[in-house]
Every structure is written in C-alpha cells, then in structure tokens.
Amino acid sequence: MKIAVVYNRESQAVINLFGVQNREKYGLETINKIKDGLKKSGHEVKTFEGDKNLIQNLEDFMPSVISGERPGLVFNLSYGIQGRGRYMHVPGMLEMLGIPYVGSGPETHALALDKVVTKILLLQRGLPTPKFAVLDTPESPLNEDLRYPLIVKPKDEAVSFGLRIVNDEKELKEGVQVIYDTYQAPTLVEEYIQGREVNVGLLGNKPAEALPPVELVFGEGPQIFTYEDKKNKSGRTVEKVCPAPLTDEETARVKELAVRTFDVLNCHDSARVDFRIDEEGNPYILEVNSMASLGADGSFVYAAEKLGMDYPALMNRIIDVTCERYFGRDFFDEESHRQRTPENRIFQNLTTNRGKLEEELKGWTNISSRTEDAVGLSTVRKRLEDKLSRLAMKPAENFSNGRSAWTWETKAGFRNGTLLVVPIDVPGARTGFPIPYRKEQQWIYGEGVASSRGGLATSLTALSALKDEKLLSDVKVGIFFYSDEGRGMRYSSTMLEKAAAEAEEVIVLQPGFVDGKVVDQRRGSRQYHVILEGDPERVGRRNQPVDVLSWFLEKTEKMKELNSRQRKIAVAVQDVQSERYSVLMPHRVTAVIALTYIDEAAAEKTETELRRLLKSNRQGMKTYIEKITERPPLLRRKEHRLLQKLQQQAEAHQLPFGTETSLISTAAGTVPRHIPAVCGFAPASKNLFTPQEALHRSELVQRSLLLALHLNGGRL
C-alpha cells in the first residue's frame, strides 16, 4: 500500500503567514522511525509537509485507484501551520480529495482542541471532569465557586502550553495575563486534583482497545506534566510506570472512562485520555489528545511496548485499524484469499508497484529517440534488449533485420502465441527542446510519452509481473519492436508481416482511447512525395504562364473534390516547400500528400485521379510523384476471438474496456488478415504528436494489468 506520512516541521508554504502559529512539531527521528516501520511491512512510503503543496504532492504520489486496488493512505501527523483550527486543516483537505487517512476527522479535532467544549460534552454524558471556569481576559472575574489551588491553561492549545498551578487570586491573574498575552485566547481555569496523573492510550475503533494505563511520576517540583517536562527542559525526569500501580477496579474504571470518552468525541484509530486520580481513588478526565504523540518516549508508545508491540508493529497496527475502519473487518482476510490465485497475485504485483511502473515510464521518456536520431534509437534499443535479457527472453533472429526491426521471445517462443508490437521511435522532427516529463492527477506529459513510451512501459511491466510470479517462461509471447514508425514502417513492415504470421494473435501497443477503448479498425494510408519544376518567372509579368507555386495551389483546391465521407476517402496536403532565385517566383515546389482510406479499391481509384490531377501539360513544367509509404488498413472483423478474450478478462477484473475506430494508420494494418489483431492497447492519449502529448495515468496500470492477465490466461 502507498502511505504518505504527512507532518508539519519546517515548511511555512502558505499564501499568507499570520495568526496563531503552530508550536507543535514531530522530530525527524520520530518521522523516520514511522517511515522505516511501515516500510518493514512492505508499504511504499513517502513523507510530505502538510502545506499548500500537499495536494499536488499527493496527486503525484497517489493517482486515482482502479477497481479492486488498495487506495493510498495518509499517516497523518500534521499539527498544522497556523490558525486555531490547524489540527483540522490536513484532515479536511484529505476528505475533500477522497484519500483515507489515519486518525480522527476534523470535527473531532475541533472538539478535542477546545478543552471547554470537551468538558461540556463530558459533563453532558455524565463523565467526571474537574470543576472549571473560563476567563476571557485577566480582568474577568472568577464567579464560579472553585477552590484553590487551580490549574490555568489556554482553552485551545496542546502540549501543556501555558499550563501552571496557581494558589491565590494574584497568581491566577498573573497566569491568565501570560496566556492572554502569549496566545490571545481565553483561559480555562479548573480545580487542581491532588493525587496521581494517569494516561490511557486507545487503539482501534468500535470498540477501541484501551492500552495499559501509564502513571506519570513527577518527583520534585509541581505535580503536573508541564511543557518544559515534555520538551526535556525542566531539569527533571518524569518517570513512566506501566501498568500503573492501580487496583483492578481502578484500572477497569479508567479504561472504561477512556473508551467512553473516545466514543463521545467520535475519535478514530488512536487517541489518549489524560486523568487525575484523587486520594480517594476517584478518576477525573482532564483532556483528550485526539492526536496522541507517537514519539518513542511517549506514554502511548510505552504502553504498547508493554503489550509486546515494538515500534514497527505499533505503526503497522495503526494502519491495520485504519484500513478496517475504511474497508471493513474482513478486509485482510479478503486480501489474503485473493492472493492465492495467479491472477490475483498478478493484480497485487502491479497495483502495489505502481510507483515502479511510473518510474519505468519516466526512464524511457527521458531518453530522446526521434525517428532521425540514430544515437537515441540505439540507446533505447540497447536498454530494451538489456531488460528483455533480464526477463530471460531471447532474440528471435529470423524475425529481426538488425536495422529497423527486432523480435524477442520467451523460452516457450511466440509461435501460436501472442506477438506484442511496440515502436521505439518518436515520430516527427525535433523543433525545440524536449518536453520534460511531468505528472498530474490524471495525465502524464513528456516527449513521446504516449506515442512510444507508454507502449514500452506497459509491455515491460506486464512481462515483469509474470516473471516475478514465475509464470513468464511458460507463456508463448514475443515482442516485436521497430524504429521507423515516423517513416510509416517503410523498412520494418516486411519483417512484422513475417513475424505476425507465426503468431496466433497480435496486440499493437499504440495509444488507445479513454475509458479503456482499444482500436479494432483503422484507416490505411499512403503518402506521396510530389515535385513540381518549372521556369523561374519574374514577379508581375502578366503575359507569361502562371508559376509552379500558384499552379499547385490551384490544384490543392481541386483535391478537396476527391474527399468522400461515404467512401471513407480523405486527401490532404501535409507539407509544402518552394525554392526560388532571389526576387523571382518559385521554380520548384515539393509537397507531401496523404491519402487515407478503408477500401483499397477506392484508394487505387483515388490515387489514379490524384496523379491525373497533378499531371502538367504545360510546356516547361514537369511533375514527379513518388509513393513513399503505404500502410494497409486494419479492418473490423465479425468474429474477433482476441477481442472477446480481452473483454472477458476486463469484465472479470472490473477494468474499463471497449472498442473505437481511428483515422490514423499504424502497424496493425501490416498484420496478415487471417491473424486476429487489436491496436490501441497502450494507455489513452491526448494531444498526440504535439508538444503537449500526454498519457492517461490510470490507464497505465489498467493496461499493464489487462495485458499481464491476458498473457497468463492465454497460455496454450
């Protein structure tokens, strides 16, 4: 499970810094102990400050979960940065974001921080608490009948800030004055209970478990636990005794009161209730710590140790009770049961290693390999081959040309199995600096992140999951990767056709569509390189024939007449360049014209019409037309057993799935017609082939999972 440990320590990243500042901080030693303890149980843990950047950081660390996946969880240690309601800030943000978290909700923290409200609630439920009064200012009269000595403390502070014993009216006014000046808050005044101080930690929910009571033995000085004591600045050592030397009846009584108090304030997961026990053995509830300290020297941790829970065990027990609260008491039994089947082991492998999957994607995206970049392509190829070697896969030499196409296979081979097809080049020429890799909640951006890198990461992750579960060697699968997608597979298509003919099915890892849609039909495409040459003409010369550029532009208007929605034919000019001498009109025009189609007979007819249209009968003007790429269409099949199997796997694991058609041609059209093939199996994209290209983040794990499940379920 992904766990974000959120705390407040150094950061003051807020829009404006003013108001009541937080004085409570966890030490780095404690934060690291919690982090290390959670990691021991296999959790993926990161730490974050609870400031205004928290939402962005959690979006990056915890993307939206897929059906059946454990969501991320926040281990909340945040006391807030500023404001009287600072305990509530992070829990409120997490509830807005829909992220489960350890500890009580904002409404509980609001009640527990306000000691006066807490005492009123306790009295309403018949729970014992010392008699009290509230003084708004040092001049406020004490009208209640309270007996000295008294305790004074801010009504909504923690960690014993401002706590002191006062023995007469003069000391009372002095204590209230200090609190008023320091905290700008009313003072809670309550009768001092002569006797012993006992803390009871609570762990769990409905009902919470009361830990063994801990007595605080103060030795010399005031018999209260001051701020200086807690911060080791008082010069004395406060001894902790656990279990507290109480009678069985007293122990049972304080435990019962602690649990009832926990319920009255609607606490969750863990808390601590502080008591004073008078000389007759009567307990009084002083306050509720809705965020009990998890410092190694705190009474909560000390009591847990007496039950046999070391620090890592306690931290993971807190996670367990939180998961039980959110997901039910049988959550762990269900997880244990699910892991018994290979399919659910694969599911757990992929969903618990989502961070590694995104790191895999980042690693590929940060390597530039445009189609014309021979060095970058070589780097990607060598890295890919190294990863495939580590997966115990081997080259299939008969289906590699060593220049633009390579095929690797498992120990079982890919004959009569599944062939994965992945481009390693990023189509298009470099026009500026590479687009940096960055993540948002739903989208990941970067150069070629969708057009190439998503397919690489998806296929490798699926194969790695099978390898981790010792399933890969028996799976009949091959991976065909090629480096000329940007050239329309001019050099690799023949090798793909040969390799695909050996497989039972082909999956092309080009970008799909949102909601899990793959592509079952794509248009074919042809590209033509056109050169027009003529005599150079002077600007403004009326009696001479039109120049070659003007002539070509006239023809482009007539090309529109070749388009037919009914016949699914489209003709478009993709690029035009001209050459001229000095101030003369252009004497040469070069252009790239694209033709997309479904029906090959219609494409042939349109090509004939296009050649006729661009043929020049004018003296001195010549036209040259060369077909530079041809990519056949992927045609929809009436009976598609590959799609049916994928649909069944998706439904069984509640993964989104569907089909869509696409105007963009891909390698899928090269697959022989009798071999079932799907395209668009890589994660969905937006702004494809542009500087803002992005990959759908949730579909990265969804596609990897579906591919791994399909490969494992498709063993022959």
Side-chain angles (χ1 to χ4, degrees):
M1 175 181 284
K2 285 193 170 190
I3 299 178
V5 178
V6 177
Y7 61 93
N8 291 104
R9 182 168 172 80
E10 303 297 337
S11 175
Q12 291 184 319
V14 293
I15 294 177
N16 294 302
L17 193 64
F18 64 87
V20 180
Q21 301 299 302
N22 174 37
R23 294 174 174 84
E24 298 178 77
K25 293 181 180 181
Y26 266 101
L28 286 177
E29 182 179 356
T30 298
I31 294 168
N32 288 329
K33 278 175 68 70
I34 293 172
K35 180 180 179 181
D36 293 342
L38 296 174
K39 282 186 171 182
K40 283 186 176 180
S41 286
H43 298 295
E44 183 181 352
V45 188
K46 283 191 176 182
T47 58
F48 301 101
E49 286 266 5
D51 56 21
K52 70 182 181 69
N53 300 314
L54 179 61
I55 293 179
Q56 179 62 49
N57 289 333
L58 291 179
E59 283 181 342
D60 181 56
F61 182 54
M62 295 180 177
S64 300
V65 297
I66 65 175
S67 178
E69 180 185 2
R70 286 186 181 185
L73 186 100
V74 166
F75 199 116
N76 181 34
L77 304 175
S78 172
Y79 292 123
I81 294 176
Q82 61 185 359
R84 298 198 182 278
R86 56 188 177 272
Y87 275 36
M88 292 89 84
H89 294 168
V90 165
M93 293 168 67
L94 297 175
E95 293 201 354
M96 178 188 71
L97 296 173
I99 298 177
Y101 60 93
V102 168
S104 298
E107 71 287 350
T108 295
H109 291 312
L111 296 175
L113 263 181
D114 193 321
K115 297 176 176 60
V116 174
V117 173
T118 298
K119 291 170 77 69
I120 291 172
L121 289 172
L122 295 176
L123 290 172
Q124 286 179 341
R125 299 298 181 91
L127 300 177
T129 187
K131 292 176 63 178
F132 71 98
V134 179
L135 301 183
D136 292 329
T137 70
E139 306 306 320
S140 299
L142 181 63
N143 295 325
E144 286 77 1
D145 183 20
L146 302 182
R147 293 183 299 175
Y148 289 97
L150 302 173
I151 294 288
V152 295
K153 51 189 171 184
K155 86 176 190 71
D156 52 7
E157 285 290 343
V159 201
S160 300
F161 289 131
L163 176 70
R164 63 186 292 186
I165 299 175
V166 297
N167 297 290
D168 52 37
E169 184 176 355
K170 178 183 177 184
E171 290 183 2
L172 173 63
K173 285 194 174 184
E174 289 175 353
V176 175
Q177 185 73 55
V178 170
I179 291 171
Y180 185 78
D181 292 343
T182 305
Y183 305 104
Q184 295 80 50
T187 299
L188 170 63
V189 182
E190 64 182 10
E191 289 187 346
Y192 171 68
I193 305 299
Q194 185 71 39
R196 306 155 69 183
E197 185 151 334
V198 171
N199 298 335
V200 178
L202 296 126
L203 181 61
N205 300 285
K206 297 188 183 303
E209 174 190 2
L211 303 181
V214 178
E215 181 173 0
L216 305 182
V217 180
F218 300 107
E220 299 295 328
Q223 298 299 293
I224 56 175
F225 203 18
T226 65
Y227 173 73
E228 289 73 21
D229 290 327
K230 293 181 179 181
K231 296 302 179 182
N232 298 316
K233 297 179 180 179
S234 64
R236 66 177 180 175
T237 300
V238 177
E239 182 183 356
K240 297 180 178 65
V241 180
C242 182
L246 306 173
T247 66
D248 291 344
E249 292 77 9
E250 288 172 337
T251 298
R253 178 62 173 156
V254 294
K255 282 187 172 184
E256 177 208 358
L257 290 174
V259 172
R260 290 176 62 187
T261 302
F262 187 92
D263 292 339
V264 166
L265 270 68
N266 195 32
C267 296
H268 295 316
D269 307 331
S270 67
R272 194 188 74 237
V273 180
D274 297 342
F275 292 88
R276 293 288 290 192
I277 301 178
D278 68 16
E279 294 171 342
E280 285 76 37
N282 299 310
Y284 293 86
I285 301 167
L286 298 181
E287 60 184 69
V288 181
N289 292 274
S290 57
M291 292 182 65
S293 171
L294 297 178
D297 59 348
S299 59
F300 187 90
V301 174
Y302 189 63
E305 288 175 349
K306 297 302 179 180
L307 290 179
M309 281 189 282
D310 62 11
Y311 201 85
L314 176 59
M315 297 305 106
N316 285 286
R317 178 59 185 153
I318 292 174
I319 292 295
D320 289 349
V321 300
T322 302
C323 288
E324 289 172 4
R325 173 167 61 89
Y326 277 102
F327 312 119
R329 292 185 181 275
D330 56 354
F331 175 71
F332 297 102
D333 289 338
E334 288 181 0
E335 289 298 316
S336 176
H337 174 73
R338 289 179 59 188
Q339 291 177 4
R340 295 173 188 169
T341 66
E343 291 80 5
N344 286 311
R345 295 206 314 270
I346 292 170
F347 183 95
Q348 290 296 321
N349 182 299
L350 284 168
T351 56
T352 57
N353 289 288
R354 184 187 286 212
K356 293 181 181 179
L357 171 53
E358 294 186 354
E359 283 300 310
E360 178 81 21
L361 177 67
K362 181 179 180 180
W364 289 112
T365 304
N366 286 341
I367 303 174
S368 179
S369 63
R370 293 280 176 175
T371 305
E372 305 297 333
D373 182 1
V375 174
L377 288 171
S378 178
T379 300
V380 171
R381 178 181 59 80
K382 290 178 180 178
R383 180 178 179 180
L384 179 55
E385 289 177 342
D386 178 63
K387 287 182 174 290
L388 294 175
S389 294
R390 294 181 185 181
L391 292 172
M393 297 181 71
K394 58 185 180 180
E397 301 291 354
N398 292 337
F399 305 101
S400 305
N401 62 22
R403 299 181 304 278
S404 60
W406 301 265
T407 303
W408 285 58
E409 60 186 354
T410 59
K411 182 179 179 182
F414 73 93
R415 186 185 297 273
N416 298 323
T418 304
L419 181 66
L420 309 179
V421 180
V422 187
I424 64 171
D425 65 315
V426 178
R430 171 67 50 75
T431 57
F433 292 106
I435 304 302
Y437 178 92
R438 64 182 176 89
K439 293 187 288 188
E440 293 180 355
Q441 174 68 8
Q442 290 295 344
W443 296 95
I444 301 177
Y445 295 81
E447 183 175 290
V449 69
S451 55
S452 170
R453 290 6 188 178
L456 277 172
T458 296
S459 55
L460 287 172
T461 300
L463 295 172
S464 296
L466 294 174
K467 175 72 161 48
D468 291 344
E469 302 304 327
K470 297 180 173 56
L471 299 169
L472 182 60
S473 61
D474 295 331
V475 177
K476 291 186 175 183
V477 62
I479 179 168
F480 176 94
F481 53 98
Y482 60 100
S483 61
D484 58 347
E485 174 64 27
R487 297 189 182 96
M489 295 188 75
R490 192 184 310 177
Y491 308 109
S492 62
S493 58
T494 301
M495 194 58 65
L496 173 58
E497 185 175 7
K498 179 182 176 182
E502 296 293 312
E504 183 181 83
E505 59 187 27
V506 176
I507 297 176
V508 180
L509 284 107
Q510 288 281 8
F513 294 87
V514 292
D515 298 325
K517 292 181 179 179
V518 298
V519 179
D520 64 342
Q521 179 165 286
R522 285 189 182 272
R523 288 196 181 190
S525 68
R526 299 178 182 182
Q527 274 190 328
Y528 306 93
H529 187 220
V530 179
I531 300 176
L532 298 174
E533 292 183 337
D535 297 327
E537 304 290 345
R538 282 181 283 180
V539 176
R541 187 171 182 180
R542 296 183 179 179
N543 296 329
Q544 294 296 325
V546 68
D547 63 275
V548 292
L549 178 59
S550 299
W551 184 89
F552 178 74
L553 294 177
E554 290 178 2
K555 298 298 181 180
T556 58
E557 287 298 313
K558 294 183 179 180
M559 282 183 206
K560 297 178 181 178
E561 299 175 4
L562 301 178
N563 294 328
S564 172
R565 184 182 297 271
Q566 182 179 4
R567 295 188 300 153
K568 294 183 173 59
I569 288 287
V571 179
V573 178
Q574 291 183 303
D575 189 26
V576 179
Q577 297 181 8
S578 64
E579 297 179 34
R580 62 182 176 83
Y581 300 123
S582 187
V583 296
L584 301 182
M585 295 297 290
H587 63 276
R588 176 181 291 131
V589 172
T590 60
V592 176
I593 298 175
L595 164 64
T596 66
Y597 62 94
I598 286 291
D599 182 70
E600 293 189 4
E604 287 291 333
K605 182 179 179 181
T606 303
E607 179 180 327
T608 299
E609 295 172 351
L610 178 64
R611 290 180 180 275
R612 184 184 302 117
L613 177 65
L614 293 177
K615 184 178 181 180
S616 173
N617 295 322
R618 185 187 126 183
Q619 185 177 0
M621 183 182 292
K622 296 179 181 180
T623 306
Y624 306 93
I625 302 178
E626 178 189 8
K627 182 162 55 177
I628 53 177
T629 65
E630 179 169 10
R631 310 190 79 171
L634 171 66
L635 300 178
R636 179 169 288 144
R637 306 164 69 102
K638 291 184 179 180
E639 296 293 331
H640 203 312
R641 61 180 183 273
L642 173 56
L643 272 181
Q644 292 172 354
K645 288 191 291 185
L646 292 170
Q647 178 79 46
Q648 291 168 359
Q649 288 281 8
E651 290 177 355
H653 292 85
Q654 297 181 311
L655 298 172
F657 192 79
T659 58
E660 185 62 88
T661 62
S662 175
L663 300 177
I664 300 176
S665 56
T666 67
T670 304
V671 178
R673 295 286 172 85
H674 68 282
I675 304 295
V678 296
C679 194
F681 201 88
S685 68
K686 67 176 182 179
N687 304 320
L688 194 61
F689 307 125
T690 74
Q692 294 302 314
E693 179 171 298
L695 171 148
H696 197 276
R697 192 174 180 188
S698 293
E699 289 201 1
L700 184 62
V701 68
Q702 290 170 352
R703 279 288 176 250
S704 300
L705 174 59
L706 183 56
L707 180 58
L709 292 171
H710 174 72
L711 294 177
N712 183 63
R715 285 182 292 172
L716 299 175

